[in-house]
Amino acid sequence: MAAAPPSDFNGGKVESSEAGSKWLDAHYDPLASIHTFSACLALADLHGDGEYKLVVGDLGPGGQQPRLKVLKGPRVLTESPLSELPAAAVTFLKDHHEPRTPALALASGPCVYVYKNLRPYFKFSLPPLPVNPLEEDLWDQAKEDRIDPLTLKEMLEGIREKAEVPLSVQSLRFLQLELSEMEAFVNQHKSKAIKRQTVITTMTTLKKNLADEDAVSCLVLGTENRELLVLDPEAFTTLATMKLPSVPAFLEVSGQFDVEFRLAAACRNGNVYILRRDSKCPKYCIELSAQPVGLVRVHKVLVVGSNQDSLHGFTHKGKRLWTVQMPAAILTMNLLEQHSRGLQAVMAGLANGEVRIYQDKTLLNVIRTPDAVTSLCFGRFGREDNTLIMTTRGGGLIIKILKRTAVFVEGGGELGPPPAQATKLSVPRKTRLYVDQTLREREAGTAMHRTFQTDLYLLRLRAARAYVQALESSLSPVSATAREPLKLHAVVQGLGPTFKLTLHLQNTSAARPLLGLLVCFLHNEALYALPRAFFKVPLLVPGLSYPLETFVESLSDKGISDVIKVLVLREGQSAPLLSAHINMPVSEGLAAA
Amino acid sequence: MAEERHPTRTQFPASAETQKPHLKKAPEFPILEKQNWLIHLHYIRKDYEACKAIIKQQLQETQGLCEYAIYVQALIFRLEGNIQESLELFQTCAVLSPQCADNLKQVARSLFLLGKHKAATEVYNEAAKLNQKDWEIYHNLGVCYIYLKQFNKAQDQLHHALQLNRHDLTYIMLGKIHLLVGDLDKAMEIYKKAVEFSPENTELLTTLGLLYLQVGIYQKAFEHLGNALTYDPINYKAILAAGSMMQTHGDFDVALTKYRVVASAVPESPPLWNNIGMCFFGKKKYVAAISCLKRANYLAPFDWKILYNLGLVHLTMQQYASAFHFLSAAINFQPKMGELYMLLAVALTNLEDTENAKRAYDKAVCLDKYNPLINLNYAVLLYNQGEKRDALTQYQEMEKKVNLLKDSSSLEYDSEMVEMAQKLGAALQVGEALVWTKSVKDPKSKQRTTSTSKASGFQQPLGSNQALGQAMSSAAAYSKLPSVGKERSQMKNLS
């Protein structure tokens, strides 16, 4: 194939494992024990000394020991335990004071913890949600013992069925209780004011009024009760609240809060909602019909990764631009921004241990990693501008540096025919014998055909004869007569010398039960002994299978076996209705002795 | 709200409160949705083990009140195939928040997967009352109605879904309904609209291409299949269909190259090996053709098209005894096709069983209305047997068919067949004038075309008017009538 060699060449360019790789391997520690998501990774010059540090909100192994880690180079600089799992970590400039060191915000549970110079500085808690006034009223009554627990339960259930505002945890818990526990529960909790609290699911930053790199930014929070909050960077008051139809999982913001901004929120119902500054509710909606696993904005294109292994590009108005299929499930996504060359691209960590870099739908680069990458982050780290930080499923940490000479070429990805086109077809080979037989058939085809036809007729004749004979002497295990439709099959169990013989007798007629049937065994009395060689069959109800058991004793010690014939007869008739031949197994019990 | 942060925050700030006149301190309730985001993140990245661990912990902590944890647990159960369990959990969710349409949707979905379509439609209707703007509800309702065989209702629901929001899936389902009813034109309309809406969806492109192929608009078919292949070069349905079209035009080498891709993707596809076999047949590599066809036959022993092709190749190889077996097997599966009986008759003639050959020809003539080849071959056999009168009848029958076909379509005839017909006409010494005029006209037009595509006298994709479900295999299961090989062997007898 003329097309095959260039495709190989292209394939080679994309690979990072080869000598012509665009990346320098700076660090790889498979045992770094960092378990986190892309949202919990941030790079910032936290001390204002020009050394960029990596902030990791670490969930800990199995999500058990949440910690805040700060890494300088490959080394952990500080490590402090967290009370709850971190949902997101971002760094942002909160004021104009010099030196301009960024603050670190860590969202965890219902709170945002703000650190300055790596010291706890401020804690913001989400405002409690309004409680249902009816519910509140009920608990007030309970407090004054004006209502008995049963009525309380009924009333609360009524609220749950209809009300817009959901119940508090206290009421929900109460509704689950048994009658006996209610009294105690009410006494224990009645004095407490009911409250509803929500948690932060995602967080990002939004420039306040300037587009500069070092402009002051607001925090944007997504909450479990389907709201987006924009916080003032200095006073930590809520500047704006927006309502979403579902719980946001990923956020992507562009613009400035005071001027104009666009906010994209990928939600749990599989939709991406796009909001603008003046909109209190979503302006556009992208229905993915799959779950989004990542949301990245590249210039003006929103890139959404779906859990159906594909990347989609959308305009900021929600129009689909392109779709790219991935070879495996996407685990995480992030933005790659190379300031020196003005390049923006999407990185996607895949379940097959690849990190793919796409600019629009063209593949720029593939990095193979020893383990599946679960979080990604690109930017300035230490004193190096273009550093890629990856953490793996097993808790490993990989740091790679983009070579200064490296240029991502468009069209350097997969082009041309798929590689499978170059492989040869595996056509089954034919042997010499086959060819010889072919030649023989050509010479003597007619004779072969005739012989075959003659033999075929003979075979058919024999089969027909045997069949007729079987029918005539009722040798088949299925009764052919219309009056007694019966089916019989037999099972022999055991190793010997005693076997258990089970006959399954079934009446296959639609409605008529059968009565007055007999079973008779014919066997070689020198070889086998049966306790009853002849017995009556109970009434057979249509459809049911009746197991009739009997024991067979093997008498011979010579390791030989014989056939036992089973005949099913109608009372008063000598010709059997049906019969079965049971090939008895050799008695192993005696053979061993 | 905002407060100074304590350096170390205790888990339960309530415990620091002042003493209350109760015997026991009321414990603080954990926030139910505390770890929903984590469950969700693990769920979407398909890390189900981690997900289940968190769900278990979360449910223990909240005593089974965390709705989202139950919801995801149910989703995972469903993915693992435990549909009944998932249904029960979704029902629990629906109890916890009865106003949520999403829970009802999932209950209905589980019912649907359990095959309880009737019950599913009821739940979907319930959900539609809660959320009237959700295309998914109407789409799924439509799908349920398809399974309940209420196609009109299904169409209404699907159109409703399209009005709310357009999705490829809805178009595909709508197209399917039209195909199930057998309305090809409407189905094509739908698919055309769908392709307009999402021009990069390879499934839509392929299906539309196959529909064009069925209707016989080859140019458009090829265009759409080609488009599908540019977006997804390893779409094996499109490759098979496009390959079979290439074969029709005699581009066997190109078709074979394309098939290599399929061979690595779906190595056990019977139509693929059938097509590869027929490519080799076209290239006159008969042994390779037989190998491939036998593999196809091994993979799909009940496919009569493969057996037909095997019979054909064996006839060409002059292995008449083998050809007889394959053809008679094919007839057992497809007893309504005249050409099969004709091939069987040719095999029988060569096996010197004239009696049965005649009977096979009779059957073929009786089943087929359009193929003049059958009558011609029959006439040759009769003539060789010295039954001139009957041969003449068949000959005239053939002329009738040829005239009929000339009027209705511009089918080309194989030059060898025309030559044969002329010779026979001369030998029978009847209707000479008629034959000659016709045959003088015929070869001129023929020779032009036959020079470009060799021996394209009688090629037609078999079974092109089958339902779309089989369209792939039918477009793929391509075969060729043996006009050349067979007549040559008979010519020897004649001269």
Side-chain angles (χ1 to χ4, degrees), chain A residues 306 308-310 325-331 349-354, chain B residues 46:
Chain A
S306 88
Q308 288 174 343
D309 308 355
S310 52
Q325 275 296 323
M326 298 285 128
I330 303 172
L331 298 183
L350 307 184
N352 62 355
E354 279 181 357
Chain B
K46 302 181 183 173

Side-chain angles (χ1 to χ4, degrees), chain B residues 79 210 291 451:
Chain B
L79 284 172
L210 286 172
S291 306
S451 57

Side-chain angles (χ1 to χ4, degrees), chain A residues 166-294:
Chain A
L167 293 178
S168 66
V169 188
Q170 182 171 317
S171 307
L172 286 174
R173 196 53 79 73
F174 173 72
L175 287 180
Q176 274 196 325
L177 294 177
E178 295 293 322
L179 196 59
S180 55
E181 301 162 325
M182 282 182 187
E183 191 80 44
F185 186 89
V186 172
N187 284 333
Q188 195 181 354
H189 293 280
K190 65 187 176 185
S191 56
K192 231 170 37 184
I194 53 166
K195 60 178 183 183
R196 282 173 59 227
Q197 184 67 283
T198 185
V199 292
I200 299 168
T201 58
T202 172
M203 176 171 69
T204 187
T205 57
L206 165 64
K207 298 267 187 292
K208 182 96 170 44
N209 44 25
L210 288 170
D212 300 351
E213 188 73 4
D214 57 348
V216 173
S217 304
C218 312
L219 289 179
V220 184
L221 307 179
T223 66
E224 187 69 38
N225 68 327
R226 304 167 185 191
E227 275 182 347
L228 291 176
L229 271 67
V230 183
L231 300 186
D232 183 83
E234 275 181 290
F236 290 100
T237 50
T238 310
L239 291 177
T241 310
M242 286 161 272
K243 203 78 189 128
L244 284 174
S246 179
V247 185
F250 302 98
L251 290 178
E252 184 60 59
V253 193
S254 67
Q256 297 103 48
F257 179 75
D258 289 340
V259 188
E260 170 63 342
F261 64 88
R262 285 212 174 77
L263 220 164
C267 293
R268 276 189 207 153
N269 60 357
N271 296 351
V272 180
Y273 297 100
I274 300 170
L275 300 101
R276 310 244 318 242
R277 180 169 194 270
D278 42 7
S279 52
K280 283 272 162 256
C281 51
K283 196 150 171 66
Y284 305 104
C285 167
I286 303 168
E287 290 188 350
L288 284 178
S289 56
Q291 287 288 346
V293 289

Side-chain angles (χ1 to χ4, degrees), chain B residues 115-131:
Chain B
K116 297 174 181 164
H117 300 122
K118 192 95 208 258
T121 52
E122 281 162 20
V123 181
Y124 272 128
N125 279 322
E126 198 95 337
K129 275 182 212 154
L130 293 174
N131 185 354

Side-chain angles (χ1 to χ4, degrees), chain A residues 9 120 123 141 156 201 203 287 294-295 304 345 380 383 405 417 426 444 478 487 513 534:
Chain A
F9 182 58
K123 173 182 164 188
Q141 287 180 30
L156 284 176
T201 58
M203 176 171 69
E287 290 188 350
L295 181 67
V304 186
R380 189 178 165 93
R383 296 188 181 278
T405 52
S426 68
V478 178
K487 220 161 88 182
F534 184 77

